[in-house]
Amino acid sequence: MKIVISILVLSGVVLAQAQMGAGNSAQTAAPGTMKSEQPAAPGAKDRPEENYVIGDGDVLGINVWKEQELTGPVPVRLDGKISLPLIGEIQASGKTPTQLKSDITDKLRAYLSAPDVTVTVLQMNSQKFNILGRVTKPGSYPLSATTTVLDGIAAAGGFLDFAKQKGVYILRKNSAGAVTRIAFNYRDVIRGNHPEENIQLRPDDTIVVP
């Protein structure tokens, strides 16, 4: 009997130690797991379209869920308006996509019970970017919703001889009028290093190639 009791007691001690070890491992792993699942900080992505002001000549993507006849690309006319089935003409120029979405949704409520509208900017024809310095064709170019720094350099015909490809930079003006200088190392980006430097351009950005 003493031998049996000793074996049972020993088994209980081993089992308790195993459970305590598992608990400690779980507690140790938990902080690391939580850290890896943390979402990206707000504003981590560059989303210029949110504050973009629609202008004449832009092309918008209007999407109304389950309403195919109301969905598709729509150009902004020179008078700043667009035309849509059911609601007719509506002012687009001078508004952000969010504001225009709200206006379209309000007008569609007279015809649809719960209109689900999305407005995107497909072509920013009313907005331009500039590129200066040692490129083949410096000047101003139309800005699309997805134009990047590499796109801008390509549109200007590429670099001239002796261009400082590692020293390219973008000048960007904020709403307060302050100018920010954003570095762009062409050599690094085309090699796959620091792809985050290949940012989407915003209206009136200026690429400078020294």
Side-chain angles (χ1 to χ4, degrees), residues 130-196:
N130 309 302
I131 181 165
L132 305 174
R134 300 196 63 79
V135 290
T136 304
K137 297 179 291 183
S140 296
Y141 291 86
L143 180 69
S144 74
T146 58
T147 301
T148 64
V149 182
L150 284 179
D151 294 330
I153 294 171
F159 298 112
L160 293 176
D161 292 340
F162 310 114
K164 296 180 180 179
Q165 299 180 9
K166 295 182 179 181
V168 178
Y169 58 91
I170 299 93
L171 297 178
R172 172 170 294 172
K173 185 181 297 185
N174 62 23
S175 57
V179 176
T180 301
R181 176 170 168 159
I182 305 170
F184 178 82
N185 187 325
Y186 176 83
R187 292 288 183 86
D188 276 353
V189 172
I190 63 172
R191 289 170 180 166
N193 300 322
H194 303 293
E196 70 280 359

Side-chain angles (χ1 to χ4, degrees), residues 52-60 62 74-84 88-97 99-100 103-104 107 119 126:
Y52 178 76
V53 178
I54 298 167
D56 303 349
D58 288 346
V59 178
L60 308 178
I62 309 296
V74 179
V76 181
R77 304 197 308 257
L78 294 180
D79 62 0
K81 296 181 179 180
I82 61 174
S83 296
L84 294 174
E89 295 185 345
I90 185 170
Q91 181 68 30
S93 183
K95 298 180 179 179
T96 66
Q99 291 169 334
L100 181 58
D103 291 347
I104 295 173
K107 289 184 176 294
V119 176
S126 65

Side-chain angles (χ1 to χ4, degrees), residues 38 89 127 179 202:
Q38 286 180 345
E89 295 185 345
Q127 301 289 350
V179 176
R202 297 183 182 181

Side-chain angles (χ1 to χ4, degrees), residues 114-128:
D116 186 356
V117 180
T118 301
V119 176
T120 56
V121 182
L122 302 179
Q123 296 180 24
M124 299 178 181
N125 296 331
S126 65
Q127 301 289 350
K128 297 182 181 297

Side-chain angles (χ1 to χ4, degrees), residues 39-47 196 199 202:
K45 293 185 178 180
D46 192 15
R47 300 182 63 184
E196 70 280 359
I199 59 175
R202 297 183 182 181

